[in-house]
Amino acid sequence: MMKAEKKARGLVNNFNQFDLSHFEKKQCALFCVDETYEAIADFYTEAMDKRGFNENLDYWNEVKQEINKL
């Protein structure tokens, strides 16, 4: 898995093509992380398989923290 800091920078940089402030880019990236987080939670709930669940959610929480530091 990509380091959380690198993933955070990549997500924010994905919005460079748009005329957005740095704050707005971070908000968009945080929205993406929240959507990913929810999708993972839904997947594991439906699959009833909790292996890897906490590890995945912990990773995305780290990514959010790194985005907020940018």
Side-chain angles (χ1 to χ4, degrees):
M1 212 179 283
M2 185 182 296
K3 285 192 160 209
E5 182 179 0
K6 186 173 182 179
K7 180 58 123 181
R9 288 186 188 284
L11 284 170
V12 172
N13 289 339
N14 281 332
F15 297 96
N16 284 343
Q17 63 189 342
F18 303 104
D19 187 25
L20 301 171
S21 69
H22 185 68
F23 175 80
E24 291 168 323
K25 291 175 193 176
K26 285 174 51 173
Q27 293 306 303
C28 290
L30 289 168
F31 177 78
C32 292
V33 171
D34 287 341
E35 289 296 310
T36 302
Y37 193 94
E38 286 182 36
I40 291 168
D42 289 347
F43 170 78
Y44 281 105
T45 299
E46 290 176 17
M48 301 298 284
D49 179 4
K50 302 298 182 203
R51 285 175 286 157
F53 178 72
N54 288 333
E55 183 180 308
N56 272 300
L57 295 184
D58 289 346
Y59 172 75
W60 288 103
N61 278 327
E62 265 186 75
V63 172
K64 278 182 85 166
Q65 291 172 4
E66 292 297 331
I67 290 170
N68 285 318
K69 289 180 189 177
L70 296 176

